[in-house]
Amino acid sequence: MKVKVLCRNPDDYVRETTRDIQRVPRNYDRTLHPFEVPREYTRALNATKMERLFAKPFVASLGGHRDGVSCLAKHAKSLSTVLSGACDGEVKVWNLSRRECLRTIPAHEGFVRAICSRFCGTSFFTVGDDKTVKQWRMEAPGYRVREEPLNTILGKAVYTGIDHHQSEGTFATCGQTVDIWDEQRTSPIRSFSWGVDSFSCVRYNPVETELLASCASDRSIVLYDMRESTPLKKVIMKLRSNTLCWNPMEAYNFTCSNEDYNLYTYDMRYLETPVTVHMDHVSAVLDVDYSPTGKEFVSASFDRTIRIFPKDKGHSREVYHTKRMQHVICVRWSADNKYVLSGSDEMNIRVWKANASEKLGVLTSREKAAVQYNQKLKAKFKNHPKVRRIAHHPTRSTPKPGSVPIVTEKEKHVVTVVE
Amino acid sequence: LLYIVFYGVSRLILRSYLKPPKRYWEVNAGEENGEAENTDVSPNQDNISKEQPDKIRDERRQKKKRSHGSFISGKKDPFPGEAPIPNEQLKKFQRGEKFQVVIAFRLGKVKETILRSEAASDLALKQAARYDLLLPEESGFLEGDDDEDTCTILQEDIADAVDITSGAKYFNLHLTQFGPYRLDYSRTGRHLLLGGKRGHVSCIEWQTKNLTCEINVMETIHDVKWLHSEAMFAVAQKQWLYIYDSKGIELHCIKKFNNVLRMQFLPYHFLLATASATGFLQYLDVSVGKEVSAIGTKLGRLDVMAQNPHNAIVHLGHPNGTVSLWSPNQREPLVKMLCHRGGVRSLTVDRSGTYMVTSGLDRKLKVYDIRAFKALHSYFLPAGASCLSLSQRGLLSAATGDVVQVYRDVWGGGSMSKPYMAHRVRGAVWGVDYCPFEDVLGIGHEAGFTSMIVPGAGEPNFDALDMNPYRSTKQRQEWEVKALLDKVQPELIGLDPGLLSKVDQATFEQKHKERVEALGYDPLATEKFKPRLKKRGRSSAGAVERRKKKVAHEDQKDTIRKTVEERMERENERKVKAQEQAEHGTRTALDRFKK
């Protein structure tokens, strides 16, 4: 007879020394792993619960300003440097990793309306209520040397916003008109106006670097091309927009924060209807900034909260607030996609985690794999009734089909497009 | 073809422009070089790429495809591309069916997501199928000589023929004092629990013959079962249910579970299901220590019990020949099947949850397909079978009196006249159980315990993340924590364990109906085709009607094509089946009367 009995050599299954890792032979046969779906579902539930358990987004608070923080700016090259301007004219340069203020500059008399840093990272520009544009050096002056601006430009009216070009030495300011300046000149090379008496914000497109957009006081958003002499087109909405931000990954999308408690994402090419309406705030939205991935953005509102929205969803995925934080005036998403900075009325800048339950620091490869697995599980079971609640809203009377014109939520907010 | 010719020609022109003009003796050499030109284009590529980027990109892509088969030496790979995987191997790991992407083009994002997830599933399937080749162990086998029947081979002969370690797997424990023994192997196959009817309980590590604990509970024992690991076990004693530690220390006496006759442990739910003499089926969550459900079955004394390892459903056999299927979420049985003409004596389900084997007082052994609830085969055993057990690889052991017979290929449908192996023990058999990852069958009988070698019974390759017989203490602790975190709630026990992953069509339809009522119209209905009005006399009434008809015709063509395809598929299947039947089935004269 021929016979073979299953006999395993323990040397193949047990580790040789205690300094080795354990041996883990695998067999992916389905009959050895029953209940795949219920076990995955249980793991997804656990992952969701743990995400809520570890959601501690507040990292630090930077204090030192003596009046409300009115504007924030990121350093173009350094992740740990942040610039902030206050309502008493002071500009502070902070180091985020040490959470301390590197230097304080008495920049303007009156509000500091906007700051922007130059693309090379060696200087930055500020505009203030004293009708000046000032350019400052990024590095601290030597011992016992007074802080002096590199350049000062006097204007005729108050400037309310500034933004610098991605690669050339030009910047744009807005106040009564939108002006394009060359760094070497003291008068603007071009001025755009379209019958509006004031603009609140101007932004360069980070991808199509010749395009600009600005928010005007006649409830409109105006688009410009730097190479032309007249503005391109504008879209007029029901209420005024406070700020806008271009999507760093998609050249033609921008999001504006509006007074009617919503944010609107527009496609520059089709301004008739917004691509998405983001509704969740309960008071005017004051600032918006995109994440460097272009997939999400953060908004700051008068209702003392900041909210993080996915770029294509109508509702926020996360809301951050504290009892200590009053009206949030400005917000920025850090360039390494990890942190959100908010500057508020009560003179503090707060640093929050962009993903509230993320573990900071260096993760081992096993931790990373576990995090990715949990994310995939949550995405797989996100539509399950326990996770998602559905609300029904029945109407009182049903009109005859076709008698009432159906106006979608998006179309309601745009009055007209003018070219 | 024109395109390929065009850019080939343009490439030659450009190359000739960049190189010095050919001399008369270089004509032949140039022709030879032309054959191997698919490998040497790199220095010219950069110059060309600036002028015609698209064409060069396509060429590079084609070159990459070609480089599968061709090398610098010019030789060609005789087996280009990936190694093919046999279909049965792929089917073994396939879950569900491929999704037919027929949705409208405008839903581009959804289509993309579906295609991407299908590609990921494909990759996972192929990798799992390929990994199967690398499994270290192979299953055992027993083949007799030409004139020898495997069922006549004695255990002592087998033990002599194999190596010492395997030979030591055949042993007898003479325990005549304390009555017929029931047994249970732990899930890793390392530990054996013996319970004698007169109160003797012992845990042994049977491979090393180490005695972990040995106690006498001084009462009648009906059944013994390991809990989730070798740390705790449950004993169904005369009145109540007791839980002991692996050292023999009594941990709990659960008075709510009284007159328990049989127990089954559901490992992934941490539930101990008990069947009592008063007709109650009770579930105990051993991780939390709570009774999950107590069902009064009203079907009399519950003596025959088995679990379906695939979906954690408990099967109970009754003296009127019926088998009922229970889940803790329902007070009525999920399914009731009439299996035998007399009472059901024993019952077992295979680990993939496809087949159920039952034996009854009518001396029949029946095989059922438990997914479709159909009877597959019925065999006649001259003396019936009092205990049944299925191994991991599908070997069935049936015990009658003091003889244990092992049958192979029970669901193949062949004749069961000759068993694969047989063994006579010293007393009436009271319990049989296969050891999980070994070729061993444990038999508990009146005179003690016998361990029998059954080559080909155990699964050769275990998965260390699930059950690892070679785990250390630290690994066991880690596994226990992970298993507790992954514990499935009893609400999810049902006939189909994968129900959560299926689309809930019924709820969707109900909600859609409610929405249509609320809105007054159907938001999902496709709009009728409204042709655009064209200028220059192209939108006369006749032309518009013709355009509408064209669209309607196209829709009709699509539906007709689909039905025709389905019909062709069914025809093909039928033909293949008929062919197979013609090849395998023996034709008799009575075949023409059969359908």
Side-chain angles (χ1 to χ4, degrees):
Chain A
M1 63 170 174
K2 282 189 284 252
V3 61
K4 178 196 172 227
V5 175
L6 198 57
C7 183
R8 295 189 187 91
N9 183 356
D11 286 341
D12 296 336
Y13 294 95
V14 177
R15 62 180 178 177
E16 283 180 32
T17 66
T18 49
R19 292 168 140 232
D20 291 332
I21 55 170
Q22 301 279 6
R23 288 188 213 223
V24 182
R26 301 295 319 269
N27 186 347
Y28 296 102
D29 192 357
R30 270 197 292 167
T31 49
L32 286 175
H33 301 276
F35 303 105
E36 290 174 332
V37 177
R39 283 159 87 188
E40 274 195 344
Y41 171 69
T42 313
R43 285 181 192 162
L45 266 183
N46 288 344
T48 325
K49 287 179 195 167
M50 282 210 288
E51 191 199 14
R52 289 291 99 207
L53 191 67
F54 292 124
K56 297 189 171 87
F58 182 68
V59 176
S61 166
L62 309 171
H65 271 297
R66 283 180 296 188
D67 206 339
V69 178
S70 61
C71 50
L72 279 175
K74 294 184 270 201
H75 190 289
K77 301 273 179 185
S78 155
L79 286 177
S80 56
T81 316
V82 147
L83 310 153
S84 64
C87 297
D88 63 349
E90 260 183 5
V91 167
K92 276 184 188 273
V93 182
W94 304 86
N95 182 315
L96 284 179
S97 43
R98 289 197 300 248
R99 298 179 194 169
E100 59 182 26
C101 170
L102 293 176
R103 59 198 237 264
T104 311
I105 310 164
H108 292 274
E109 289 152 13
F111 281 44
V112 178
R113 284 289 171 189
I115 321 184
C116 78
S117 75
R118 200 171 180 275
F119 63 88
C120 58
T122 53
S123 58
F124 62 92
F125 294 82
T126 64
V127 285
D129 266 0
D130 55 354
K131 305 184 193 164
T132 51
V133 180
K134 294 189 183 177
Q135 183 183 12
W136 306 85
R137 238 179 254 116
M138 195 61 87
E139 44 181 40
Y143 182 62
R144 295 197 88 174
V145 177
R146 262 182 50 147
E147 188 87 52
E148 288 277 340
L150 271 177
N151 209 358
T152 313
I153 300 169
L154 280 171
K156 293 192 194 76
V158 170
Y159 294 112
T160 51
I162 187 169
D163 198 21
H164 199 282
H165 194 275
Q166 282 286 92
S167 47
E168 291 172 6
T170 53
F171 60 91
T173 61
C174 66
Q176 282 188 347
T177 54
V178 172
D179 302 321
I180 313 286
W181 303 75
D182 190 309
E183 276 168 4
Q184 321 291 345
R185 310 278 166 85
T186 52
S187 61
I189 49 178
R190 192 163 293 140
S191 244
F192 295 105
S193 71
W194 197 339
V196 185
D197 59 352
S198 81
F199 293 87
S200 61
C201 159
V202 68
R203 289 272 183 268
Y204 269 99
N205 189 328
V207 185
E208 288 288 327
T209 48
E210 308 299 318
L211 300 175
L212 297 116
S214 69
C215 297
S217 65
D218 70 340
R219 311 166 283 134
S220 67
I221 297 176
V222 195
L223 295 171
Y224 312 88
D225 189 326
M226 228 172 66
R227 300 163 285 197
E228 312 235 333
S229 55
T230 51
L232 286 174
K233 43 180 174 176
K234 76 170 169 184
V235 53
I236 304 180
M237 295 194 282
K238 285 213 169 114
L239 288 184
R240 190 174 58 96
S241 292
N242 286 316
T243 36
L244 67 88
C245 184
W246 290 93
N247 188 327
M249 282 289 137
E250 287 161 17
Y252 34 81
N253 284 343
F254 63 88
T255 303
C256 65
S257 60
N258 209 307
E259 283 283 325
D260 69 350
Y261 316 168
N262 296 337
L263 295 112
Y264 301 94
T265 304
Y266 281 97
D267 185 331
M268 180 179 84
R269 308 165 289 186
Y270 318 110
L271 285 174
E272 295 80 26
T273 57
V275 174
T276 328
V277 180
H278 310 277
M279 315 172 86
D280 251 347
H281 279 293
V282 295
S283 189
V285 192
L286 298 178
D287 199 5
V288 65
D289 191 35
Y290 261 93
S291 131
T293 61
K295 288 201 182 144
E296 296 179 317
F297 59 86
V298 62
S299 65
S301 157
F302 201 69
D303 66 358
R304 306 192 215 113
T305 61
I306 61 176
R307 280 180 190 267
I308 298 180
F309 292 82
K311 76 158 162 74
D312 47 1
K313 294 275 177 355
H315 290 275
S316 57
R317 74 157 171 95
E318 196 77 76
V319 53
Y320 297 157
H321 60 97
T322 9
K323 211 161 57 153
R324 295 256 178 98
M325 182 162 77
Q326 303 304 315
H327 311 295
V328 193
I329 310 292
C330 49
V331 79
R332 283 289 175 271
W333 201 308
S334 80
D336 59 353
N337 196 27
K338 286 209 163 120
Y339 301 100
V340 163
L341 300 138
S342 67
S344 65
D345 231 351
E346 28 75 33
M347 307 177 260
N348 276 324
I349 299 169
R350 284 189 177 78
V351 184
W352 310 78
K353 281 195 253 184
N355 283 321
S357 46
E358 186 188 2
K359 184 177 175 194
L360 300 174
V362 180
L363 299 177
T364 60
S365 51
R366 289 194 190 195
E367 280 177 310
K368 269 188 234 164
V371 164
Q372 283 164 1
Y373 181 55
N374 283 342
Q375 275 171 3
K376 183 68 189 173
L377 278 173
K378 283 183 282 195
K380 182 173 177 179
F381 286 96
K382 70 172 175 305
N383 289 318
H384 197 273
K386 269 196 180 168
V387 179
R388 199 183 171 199
R389 270 191 249 129
I390 304 166
H392 278 290
H393 297 286
T395 57
R396 256 188 317 151
S397 61
T398 54
K400 211 158 87 169
S403 60
V404 177
I406 300 164
V407 181
T408 62
E409 180 68 58
K410 293 181 196 172
E411 287 171 1
K412 265 195 260 183
H413 300 278
V414 176
V415 174
T416 175
V417 178
V418 185
E419 304 233 343
Chain B
L1 186 62
L2 265 173
Y3 181 67
I4 297 166
V5 166
F6 173 64
Y7 84 73
V9 163
S10 63
R11 193 161 61 92
L12 284 171
I13 291 170
L14 285 162
R15 284 185 69 212
S16 60
Y17 172 73
L18 293 162
K19 277 207 257 179
K22 271 208 181 102
R23 311 303 292 278
Y24 68 94
W25 65 84
E26 279 170 342
V27 172
N28 297 333
E31 277 171 6
E32 280 169 9
N33 276 340
E35 282 173 2
E37 71 188 8
N38 50 2
T39 54
D40 72 337
V41 206
S42 35
N44 294 328
Q45 281 291 68
D46 304 288
N47 295 340
I48 299 170
S49 64
K50 285 181 195 132
E51 273 138 329
Q52 288 179 307
D54 294 326
K55 296 189 181 104
I56 301 307
R57 197 168 11 105
D58 291 344
E59 189 194 25
R60 263 202 218 127
R61 227 178 278 145
Q62 275 228 341
K63 198 166 70 116
K64 273 195 187 129
K65 281 190 207 150
R66 266 186 288 149
S67 66
H68 258 301
S70 55
F71 299 94
I72 295 174
S73 63
K75 294 212 182 106
K76 290 217 181 265
D77 186 357
F79 306 104
E82 291 182 340
I85 309 171
N87 237 353
E88 310 87 54
Q89 198 80 320
L90 281 177
K91 276 211 177 65
K92 191 172 157 199
F93 295 95
Q94 181 120 31
R95 291 161 171 83
E97 279 153 24
K98 268 192 125 90
F99 187 79
Q100 300 297 330
V101 185
V102 204
I103 36 179
F105 193 76
R106 61 188 169 86
L107 295 172
K109 211 170 170 187
V110 176
K111 191 176 176 185
E112 254 185 55
T113 331
I114 289 177
L115 286 175
R116 221 180 298 136
S117 79
E118 283 287 310
S121 302
D122 262 346
L123 178 67
L125 172 66
K126 287 206 179 101
Q127 286 188 325
R130 278 190 212 284
Y131 184 80
D132 230 28
L133 278 174
L134 304 173
L135 294 172
E137 301 284 339
E138 276 175 13
S139 59
F141 57 86
L142 175 66
E143 284 164 30
D145 299 331
D146 283 335
D147 54 344
E148 202 180 1
D149 265 337
T150 52
C151 61
T152 55
I153 299 174
L154 292 173
Q155 284 291 302
E156 287 85 5
D157 295 339
I158 299 178
D160 287 333
V162 293
D163 53 294
I164 272 189
T165 341
S166 310
K169 292 179 185 170
Y170 165 64
F171 63 93
N172 284 303
L173 295 175
H174 295 291
L175 307 158
T176 45
Q177 259 193 313
F178 291 104
Y181 279 82
R182 283 219 205 272
L183 73 145
D184 188 36
Y185 281 101
S186 73
R187 285 203 81 222
T188 54
R190 280 268 172 207
H191 302 261
L192 167 67
L193 180 64
L194 291 172
K197 196 151 198 219
R198 299 207 187 95
H200 177 214
V201 178
S202 74
C203 324
I204 314 166
E205 259 183 85
W206 63 274
Q207 277 167 338
T208 56
K209 314 287 190 302
N210 270 347
L211 185 70
T212 320
C213 88
E214 186 172 26
I215 53 174
N216 193 311
V217 300
M218 310 300 267
E219 264 190 331
T220 315
I221 291 178
H222 294 292
D223 202 4
V224 285
K225 255 308 175 250
W226 285 108
L227 295 185
H228 58 278
S229 72
E230 59 264 23
M232 289 199 282
F233 58 90
V235 180
Q237 291 178 213
K238 178 164 157 197
Q239 273 184 308
W240 300 307
L241 180 70
Y242 289 78
I243 298 198
Y244 292 87
D245 185 34
S246 63
K247 295 263 166 34
I249 304 164
E250 179 185 322
L251 296 174
H252 302 281
C253 164
I254 305 163
K255 297 207 174 159
K256 243 186 163 191
F257 288 65
N258 54 345
N259 305 98
V260 174
L261 288 180
R262 292 293 203 158
M263 298 189 287
Q264 285 287 330
F265 187 68
L266 309 175
Y268 296 96
H269 304 77
F270 282 77
L271 288 177
L272 184 68
T274 60
S276 78
T278 48
F280 270 82
L281 176 64
Q282 289 167 302
Y283 288 84
L284 171 73
D285 188 332
V286 301
S287 60
V288 185
K290 288 214 175 80
E291 181 194 45
V292 167
S293 138
I295 306 168
T297 60
K298 300 192 189 76
L299 292 167
R301 188 186 149 98
L302 302 171
D303 209 2
V304 178
M305 187 187 195
Q307 68 159 301
N308 183 340
H310 177 67
N311 56 11
I313 297 282
V314 165
H315 295 231
L316 295 173
H318 303 288
N320 58 1
T322 52
V323 169
S324 51
L325 275 61
W326 300 86
S327 108
N329 308 317
Q330 248 186 287
R331 310 223 59 83
E332 292 81 33
L334 295 168
V335 178
K336 253 186 175 174
M337 297 166 66
L338 178 64
C339 292
H340 288 278
R341 284 172 118 203
V344 177
R345 276 184 91 185
S346 180
L347 149 62
T348 180
V349 185
D350 87 313
R351 74 173 173 167
S352 66
T354 329
Y355 303 105
M356 176 172 76
V357 185
T358 64
S359 76
L361 281 172
D362 56 355
R363 289 183 267 166
K364 288 254 169 69
L365 183 86
K366 292 198 178 172
V367 180
Y368 290 87
D369 180 339
I370 214 69
R371 303 234 181 141
F373 301 106
K374 269 203 302 218
L376 287 180
H377 308 292
S378 169
Y379 308 106
F380 180 74
L381 299 173
S386 66
C387 303
L388 289 176
S389 179
L390 271 171
S391 86
Q392 282 173 323
R393 292 191 77 241
L395 295 183
L396 174 73
S397 73
T400 29
D402 56 353
V403 174
V404 172
Q405 289 167 326
V406 179
Y407 293 94
R408 206 164 37 169
D409 197 21
V410 184
W411 28 86
S415 75
M416 291 261 283
S417 55
K418 255 199 290 208
Y420 173 53
M421 292 177 72
H423 186 61
R424 179 181 236 113
V425 290
R426 282 166 186 246
V429 173
W430 208 244
V432 269
D433 194 19
Y434 278 96
C435 182
F437 295 103
E438 300 284 341
D439 280 345
V440 156
L441 171 66
I443 309 163
H445 48 86
E446 274 174 342
F449 170 77
T450 302
S451 169
M452 175 186 164
I453 300 177
V454 181
E459 168 66 53
N461 299 295
F462 56 84
D463 189 308
L465 291 183
D466 184 50
M467 277 296 132
N468 184 355
Y470 293 91
R471 61 189 183 190
S472 64
T473 328
K474 254 304 174 61
Q475 279 181 311
R476 182 178 56 81
Q477 289 164 350
E478 298 280 324
W479 165 84
E480 198 167 344
V481 171
K482 288 205 183 93
L484 281 168
L485 281 173
D486 283 348
K487 177 182 88 165
V488 184
Q489 293 303 315
E491 288 88 28
L492 301 178
I493 297 180
L495 281 171
D496 181 9
L499 197 60
L500 273 179
S501 67
K502 301 210 164 90
V503 177
D504 194 358
Q505 193 69 13
T507 317
F508 169 72
E509 274 165 10
Q510 190 200 26
K511 289 212 173 110
H512 182 67
K513 219 172 32 177
E514 287 174 17
R515 204 159 150 219
V516 167
E517 275 176 31
L519 286 172
Y521 71 102
D522 187 3
L524 293 178
T526 47
E527 289 170 8
K528 267 173 62 173
F529 170 64
K530 279 202 212 109
R532 255 200 327 188
L533 295 170
K534 297 192 179 165
K535 291 198 194 151
R536 293 172 180 250
R538 290 202 188 97
S539 69
S540 62
V544 166
E545 283 307 305
R546 251 182 280 132
R547 261 187 279 146
K548 277 198 205 159
K549 270 213 185 117
K550 206 162 56 165
V551 172
H553 277 313
E554 294 220 1
D555 287 340
Q556 220 178 21
K557 264 197 248 171
D558 276 339
T559 45
I560 289 172
R561 204 185 307 136
K562 225 193 272 183
T563 48
V564 164
E565 272 178 19
E566 283 175 11
R567 211 180 298 150
M568 293 291 291
E569 262 186 47
R570 258 183 278 140
E571 273 288 314
N572 282 340
E573 274 180 36
R574 206 174 52 81
K575 277 196 194 139
V576 166
K577 229 193 242 178
Q579 251 190 6
E580 281 180 359
Q581 277 219 348
E583 281 169 17
H584 297 306
T586 48
R587 305 220 59 194
T588 65
L590 297 172
D591 263 351
R592 53 204 162 111
F593 297 111
K594 291 197 192 134
K595 276 228 170 100

